Amino acid sequence: MVEQNREGKPRQLLRRALVPMLVAGGCAVVGSQWVQSRQQARLVRRDDALLDGQPHDMTLSWPYAQSSTLYNVALRQDFFVQYRLNVQLREGVANGRDAIADLQAGRAMAAVAPVLSWLQAWQASPDLPVRLVMGLQAGTFRLLVRRRLRIAKIEDLVGRRIAVLNADMADRLFFSIILRRKGLNPDTAPNWVILPPDEIDDALAAGTVDAVALHDPLAWRLLRNPVLDVVELVNSVNGLYAGRTNLALGLSADVLRDMPGAAVALVLALYNAAHWLPAHMTEAASLLDGRVDGMQQDAILQMMRHEVLGISPVGNDLKTQIARYVDELKLLGQFPDSLNSASYARRISADILHPAQPRP
């Protein structure tokens, strides 16, 4: 029996009708504003020619995908089904480095990781047989400080103890860039403390750390915990970084060469899911009820309202954002100043939705 909505119309049919309407309109919600993109408007005119119409199995490595808003929307709102995809998740993927390792080892056909983690992977393996094909969502990095310390600006973090989950995670990299922009040495100005997620609450409560650099949902739970009494010093959901992607989807060179229809289907499914999300936050929160660190629907919805949704750059938009990240990693000495960031971004990415047309 087909599930009915309040107006008595089949939900499945409404979902199928919604996707082309969103893409054809070329509109995406960013915060409370509508942004028109010529690139988005072009998608609906190209996808029929690029899709092969065949079902495809796709093994995907995505850290904590089961609690990801975007993944749950794509899966449970039938965006994968619409594009005839059977997506199988790799289990036990704890971070972006694990996802990239799965792709390198052939355990996955596609992987999701922070752009900063992808760039570090290319630094370690310049011939990494992967191309970034789309951004998935804006970052939710939050630097939280204990209120009683009265830390008012980034410069006040000198000598302070900042907890992070891992020294190489995008959380630390992101705030290292912020510190460097303020003229501080991110390796020596603060004292980075590596802690597992289940010890951070106690460390804050006991005062053994002064601040934490994390991302949602853990950062949001800490911020909303009145016992911990922390405040947000800086984040990536406002200002310069609000419209920039954090996560990126990478596809193996084998998939791009041998299964281009599957690659396009995966990108379109996630792209359309991302642009469905901002206008349907309540429904999306219901999909995640109890799946995000035990958070219930109301808490998830409140968190989503303090995030930037619908960020999913492809093509030139993605390349531009990657180049900006490369420029920022130059500040940390991870790329040489002489590197052409735009050329590098073009080399490690692929615009599979708008491939170059052969000249007549």
Side-chain angles (χ1 to χ4, degrees):
M1 181 177 180
V2 178
E3 183 182 358
Q4 304 288 316
N5 78 336
R6 293 179 182 176
E7 291 78 17
K9 297 178 182 179
R11 290 179 57 85
Q12 189 176 34
L13 294 180
L14 287 176
R15 292 170 188 166
R16 290 176 179 170
L18 176 64
V19 175
M21 288 170 60
L22 285 174
V23 179
C27 294
V29 178
V30 180
S32 60
Q33 299 178 342
W34 289 88
V35 176
Q36 183 76 18
S37 168
R38 287 178 297 175
Q39 188 174 62
Q40 292 166 231
R42 291 164 56 197
L43 289 178
V44 72
R45 296 198 295 270
R46 297 301 307 273
D47 61 8
D48 287 343
L50 297 173
L51 292 168
D52 58 18
Q54 301 299 313
H56 293 284
D57 294 329
M58 182 69 70
T59 306
L60 176 62
S61 189
W62 187 333
Y64 299 104
Q66 299 289 4
S67 61
S68 162
T69 305
L70 180 56
Y71 174 79
N72 275 277
V73 166
L75 176 67
R76 304 179 70 190
Q77 290 294 119
D78 297 336
F79 287 96
F80 289 146
V81 170
Q82 178 190 356
Y83 288 97
R84 307 193 70 184
L85 288 172
N86 175 30
V87 176
Q88 301 170 343
L89 281 179
R90 288 279 304 162
E91 295 186 0
V93 185
N95 52 53
R97 288 178 302 144
D98 288 349
I100 295 169
D102 278 344
L103 199 58
Q104 285 181 284
R107 296 186 294 266
M109 302 159 69
V112 173
V115 176
L116 289 169
S117 298
W118 281 114
L119 291 173
Q120 283 195 318
W122 261 292
Q123 279 289 83
S125 302
D127 296 324
L128 188 68
V130 181
R131 292 296 178 268
L132 301 184
V133 294
M134 73 176 298
L136 293 179
Q137 65 185 50
T140 58
F141 301 117
R142 303 182 192 274
L143 184 60
L144 310 179
V145 299
R146 294 167 55 212
R147 187 189 304 271
R148 64 181 300 270
L149 298 177
R150 300 185 182 279
I151 296 173
K153 56 186 184 298
I154 292 292
E155 292 84 349
D156 295 338
L157 292 172
V158 174
R160 297 294 188 177
R161 300 157 296 180
I162 306 177
V164 290
L165 299 180
N166 189 291
D168 296 323
M169 287 188 72
D171 308 283
R172 175 175 172 176
L173 282 174
F174 176 80
F175 289 110
S176 291
I177 292 169
I178 302 297
L179 289 164
R180 175 61 76 187
R181 285 190 179 281
K182 292 293 185 179
L184 301 174
N185 184 330
D187 294 325
T188 59
N191 178 20
W192 300 99
V193 180
I194 311 302
L195 290 177
D198 58 355
E199 293 183 13
I200 289 180
D201 299 59
D202 291 340
L204 282 170
T208 54
V209 297
D210 305 310
V212 295
L214 298 168
H215 59 275
D216 292 348
L218 179 54
W220 180 258
R221 286 201 302 109
L222 296 175
L223 181 61
R224 305 301 291 181
N225 185 343
V227 174
L228 299 179
D229 196 28
V230 295
V231 295
E232 198 167 35
L233 180 64
V234 66
N235 62 46
S236 65
V237 300
N238 296 296
L240 177 66
Y241 292 93
R244 195 189 299 187
T245 190
N246 166 37
L247 299 181
L249 175 69
L251 290 170
S252 74
D254 290 343
V255 169
L256 291 170
R257 182 187 64 244
D258 301 331
M259 301 171 59
V264 171
L266 181 61
V267 169
L268 286 173
L270 291 171
Y271 183 94
N272 292 332
H275 288 276
W276 176 92
L277 180 56
H280 301 83
M281 284 192 289
T282 301
E283 189 171 356
S286 70
L287 300 178
L288 287 165
D289 191 12
R291 293 172 178 263
V292 183
D293 294 329
M295 292 173 65
Q296 301 305 307
Q297 180 176 347
D298 289 347
I300 294 170
L301 181 59
Q302 188 178 36
M303 178 180 71
M304 291 170 63
R305 286 173 173 164
H306 288 81
E307 298 177 345
V308 183
L309 306 176
I311 302 297
S312 55
V314 295
N316 288 332
D317 291 342
L318 176 63
K319 293 171 188 175
T320 298
Q321 294 199 16
I322 293 173
R324 288 173 181 164
Y325 275 119
V326 174
D327 284 337
E328 288 164 346
L329 288 183
K330 289 179 182 179
L331 298 175
L332 302 183
Q334 297 195 17
F335 284 96
D337 290 338
S338 59
L339 179 68
N340 185 312
S341 301
S343 296
Y344 191 83
R346 287 194 296 271
R347 183 173 72 80
I348 67 173
S349 63
D351 186 358
I352 65 173
L353 298 182
H354 312 106
Q357 296 298 304
R359 294 183 178 180

